[in-house]
Short mmCIF file of all heavy atoms in Angstrom, two decimals:
data_model
loop_
_atom_site.label_atom_id
_atom_site.label_comp_id
_atom_site.label_asym_id
_atom_site.label_seq_id
_atom_site.Cartn_x
_atom_site.Cartn_y
_atom_site.Cartn_z
N MET A 267 1.80 1.54 0.23
CA MET A 267 1.63 0.06 0.64
C MET A 267 0.42 -0.55 -0.08
O MET A 267 -0.26 -1.44 0.54
CB MET A 267 1.54 0.08 2.17
CG MET A 267 2.62 0.56 2.99
SD MET A 267 4.21 -0.28 2.50
CE MET A 267 3.97 -1.95 3.21
N SER A 268 0.09 -0.04 -1.21
CA SER A 268 -1.18 -0.70 -1.92
C SER A 268 -0.73 -1.46 -3.05
O SER A 268 0.42 -1.04 -3.66
CB SER A 268 -2.12 0.60 -2.29
OG SER A 268 -1.60 1.38 -3.27
N CYS A 269 -1.59 -2.30 -3.44
CA CYS A 269 -1.45 -3.17 -4.72
C CYS A 269 -2.80 -3.32 -5.38
O CYS A 269 -3.53 -4.08 -4.98
CB CYS A 269 -0.73 -4.44 -4.39
SG CYS A 269 -0.35 -5.42 -5.93
N PRO A 270 -3.02 -2.70 -6.49
CA PRO A 270 -4.31 -2.85 -7.19
C PRO A 270 -4.26 -4.09 -7.94
O PRO A 270 -3.26 -4.41 -8.59
CB PRO A 270 -4.37 -1.62 -8.19
CG PRO A 270 -3.39 -0.63 -7.73
CD PRO A 270 -2.35 -1.49 -7.07
N ILE A 271 -5.22 -4.89 -7.90
CA ILE A 271 -5.45 -6.27 -8.46
C ILE A 271 -6.81 -6.53 -9.05
O ILE A 271 -7.76 -5.82 -8.68
CB ILE A 271 -4.99 -7.45 -7.50
CG1 ILE A 271 -6.16 -7.47 -6.40
CG2 ILE A 271 -3.67 -7.16 -6.97
CD1 ILE A 271 -6.11 -8.86 -5.75
N SER A 272 -6.95 -7.45 -9.73
CA SER A 272 -8.22 -8.22 -10.02
C SER A 272 -8.10 -9.65 -9.68
O SER A 272 -7.36 -10.42 -10.48
CB SER A 272 -8.69 -7.93 -11.47
OG SER A 272 -9.80 -8.79 -11.81
N SER A 273 -8.85 -10.17 -8.68
CA SER A 273 -8.68 -11.62 -8.42
C SER A 273 -9.37 -12.47 -9.40
O SER A 273 -8.97 -13.65 -9.68
CB SER A 273 -9.33 -11.81 -6.90
OG SER A 273 -10.64 -11.30 -6.84
N THR A 274 -10.39 -11.84 -9.95
CA THR A 274 -11.26 -12.76 -10.99
C THR A 274 -10.45 -12.91 -12.18
O THR A 274 -10.41 -14.00 -12.81
CB THR A 274 -12.64 -12.22 -11.14
OG1 THR A 274 -12.58 -10.84 -11.61
CG2 THR A 274 -13.41 -12.35 -9.90
N GLN A 275 -9.77 -11.75 -12.68
CA GLN A 275 -9.08 -11.68 -13.98
C GLN A 275 -7.55 -11.99 -13.83
O GLN A 275 -6.90 -12.05 -14.69
CB GLN A 275 -9.23 -10.33 -14.64
CG GLN A 275 -10.68 -9.87 -14.91
CD GLN A 275 -11.28 -10.75 -15.87
OE1 GLN A 275 -10.69 -11.21 -16.95
NE2 GLN A 275 -12.66 -11.11 -15.72
N TRP A 276 -7.21 -12.22 -12.65
CA TRP A 276 -5.76 -12.57 -12.24
C TRP A 276 -4.77 -11.49 -12.78
O TRP A 276 -3.79 -11.71 -13.38
CB TRP A 276 -5.40 -14.03 -12.73
CG TRP A 276 -4.12 -14.43 -12.24
CD1 TRP A 276 -2.90 -14.75 -12.72
CD2 TRP A 276 -4.02 -14.97 -10.83
NE1 TRP A 276 -1.98 -15.14 -11.91
CE2 TRP A 276 -2.66 -15.42 -10.54
CE3 TRP A 276 -4.80 -14.99 -9.73
CZ2 TRP A 276 -2.21 -15.99 -9.42
CZ3 TRP A 276 -4.41 -15.63 -8.62
CH2 TRP A 276 -3.16 -16.11 -8.46
N LEU A 277 -5.28 -10.27 -12.45
CA LEU A 277 -4.39 -9.13 -12.81
C LEU A 277 -3.51 -8.55 -11.72
O LEU A 277 -4.03 -8.34 -10.62
CB LEU A 277 -5.32 -7.84 -13.37
CG LEU A 277 -6.19 -8.32 -14.65
CD1 LEU A 277 -7.13 -7.02 -14.92
CD2 LEU A 277 -5.25 -8.56 -15.87
N ASN A 278 -2.27 -8.53 -11.97
CA ASN A 278 -1.26 -7.85 -11.05
C ASN A 278 -0.96 -8.71 -9.72
O ASN A 278 -0.39 -8.17 -8.83
CB ASN A 278 -1.75 -6.52 -10.68
CG ASN A 278 -0.56 -5.57 -10.56
OD1 ASN A 278 0.53 -5.61 -11.09
ND2 ASN A 278 -0.68 -4.59 -9.55
N ILE A 279 -1.50 -9.99 -9.89
CA ILE A 279 -1.19 -10.75 -8.75
C ILE A 279 0.29 -11.18 -8.45
O ILE A 279 0.72 -11.15 -7.33
CB ILE A 279 -2.08 -12.14 -8.83
CG1 ILE A 279 -3.40 -11.95 -9.11
CG2 ILE A 279 -1.78 -13.13 -7.68
CD1 ILE A 279 -4.16 -11.33 -8.01
N ASP A 280 1.08 -11.21 -9.56
CA ASP A 280 2.56 -11.37 -9.26
C ASP A 280 3.19 -10.24 -8.60
O ASP A 280 4.00 -10.50 -7.58
CB ASP A 280 3.19 -11.49 -10.67
CG ASP A 280 2.94 -12.76 -11.33
OD1 ASP A 280 2.47 -13.75 -10.80
OD2 ASP A 280 3.04 -12.80 -12.52
N GLU A 281 2.86 -9.06 -8.78
CA GLU A 281 3.22 -7.83 -8.07
C GLU A 281 2.88 -8.12 -6.54
O GLU A 281 3.66 -7.70 -5.66
CB GLU A 281 2.76 -6.55 -8.56
CG GLU A 281 3.30 -5.29 -7.80
CD GLU A 281 2.87 -3.97 -8.40
OE1 GLU A 281 2.30 -4.06 -9.53
OE2 GLU A 281 3.01 -2.91 -7.82
N LEU A 282 1.67 -8.46 -6.22
CA LEU A 282 1.15 -8.61 -4.85
C LEU A 282 1.92 -9.66 -4.24
O LEU A 282 2.34 -9.46 -2.96
CB LEU A 282 -0.39 -8.97 -4.94
CG LEU A 282 -0.81 -9.31 -3.57
CD1 LEU A 282 -0.80 -8.10 -2.68
CD2 LEU A 282 -2.41 -9.88 -3.70
N ILE A 283 2.28 -10.60 -4.83
CA ILE A 283 3.10 -11.73 -4.16
C ILE A 283 4.59 -11.28 -3.91
O ILE A 283 5.08 -11.56 -2.79
CB ILE A 283 3.07 -13.00 -5.08
CG1 ILE A 283 1.81 -13.68 -5.20
CG2 ILE A 283 4.20 -13.98 -4.57
CD1 ILE A 283 1.62 -14.88 -6.20
N GLU A 284 5.01 -10.51 -4.76
CA GLU A 284 6.43 -9.95 -4.41
C GLU A 284 6.47 -8.99 -3.44
O GLU A 284 7.32 -8.89 -2.50
CB GLU A 284 7.03 -9.26 -5.66
CG GLU A 284 7.47 -10.33 -6.91
CD GLU A 284 8.50 -11.30 -6.31
OE1 GLU A 284 9.43 -10.80 -5.65
OE2 GLU A 284 8.34 -12.44 -6.62
N MET A 285 5.36 -8.15 -3.33
CA MET A 285 5.27 -7.09 -2.18
C MET A 285 4.98 -7.93 -0.86
O MET A 285 5.53 -7.43 0.09
CB MET A 285 3.97 -6.27 -2.45
CG MET A 285 4.23 -5.20 -3.62
SD MET A 285 2.91 -4.06 -3.77
CE MET A 285 3.01 -3.19 -2.30
N ALA A 286 4.37 -8.97 -0.84
CA ALA A 286 4.14 -9.78 0.34
C ALA A 286 5.50 -10.32 0.84
O ALA A 286 5.85 -10.48 1.94
CB ALA A 286 3.09 -10.84 0.15
N TRP A 287 6.27 -10.82 -0.16
CA TRP A 287 7.52 -11.48 0.20
C TRP A 287 8.42 -10.43 0.84
O TRP A 287 9.02 -10.62 1.83
CB TRP A 287 8.16 -12.03 -1.04
CG TRP A 287 9.61 -12.53 -0.87
CD1 TRP A 287 10.79 -11.83 -1.07
CD2 TRP A 287 9.95 -13.72 -0.26
NE1 TRP A 287 11.89 -12.58 -0.71
CE2 TRP A 287 11.46 -13.76 -0.12
CE3 TRP A 287 9.23 -14.87 0.24
CZ2 TRP A 287 12.15 -14.77 0.32
CZ3 TRP A 287 9.92 -15.85 0.89
CH2 TRP A 287 11.35 -15.87 0.83
N ASP A 288 8.47 -9.17 0.26
CA ASP A 288 9.30 -8.05 0.79
C ASP A 288 8.83 -7.74 2.24
O ASP A 288 9.63 -7.41 3.12
CB ASP A 288 9.27 -6.84 -0.11
CG ASP A 288 9.94 -7.09 -1.40
OD1 ASP A 288 10.81 -8.04 -1.54
OD2 ASP A 288 9.66 -6.50 -2.42
N ALA A 289 7.44 -7.68 2.40
CA ALA A 289 6.90 -7.27 3.63
C ALA A 289 7.12 -8.27 4.74
O ALA A 289 7.36 -7.97 5.97
CB ALA A 289 5.45 -7.06 3.59
N LEU A 290 7.23 -9.55 4.41
CA LEU A 290 7.43 -10.54 5.52
C LEU A 290 8.81 -10.63 5.88
O LEU A 290 9.17 -11.15 6.84
CB LEU A 290 7.13 -11.99 4.77
CG LEU A 290 5.53 -12.19 4.78
CD1 LEU A 290 5.31 -13.52 3.97
CD2 LEU A 290 4.89 -12.41 6.06
N ASP A 291 9.82 -10.14 5.00
CA ASP A 291 11.22 -9.92 5.29
C ASP A 291 11.82 -11.34 5.74
O ASP A 291 12.45 -11.41 7.03
CB ASP A 291 11.44 -8.97 6.51
CG ASP A 291 12.83 -8.44 6.48
OD1 ASP A 291 13.59 -8.56 5.53
OD2 ASP A 291 13.11 -7.80 7.52
N LEU A 292 11.66 -12.37 4.88
CA LEU A 292 12.28 -13.62 5.29
C LEU A 292 13.59 -13.81 4.64
O LEU A 292 14.04 -13.05 3.74
CB LEU A 292 11.32 -14.77 4.73
CG LEU A 292 9.85 -14.76 5.23
CD1 LEU A 292 9.03 -15.69 4.59
CD2 LEU A 292 9.91 -15.09 6.73
#
Side-chain angles (χ1 to χ4, degrees):
M267 300 300 293
S268 68
C269 185
I271 68 158
S272 170
S273 57
T274 55
Q275 301 295 321
W276 199 249
L277 299 176
N278 216 30
I279 302 298
D280 290 340
E281 181 179 349
L282 175 63
I283 292 172
E284 286 303 316
M285 288 182 69
W287 174 260
D288 292 340
L290 285 169
D291 200 17
L292 298 173

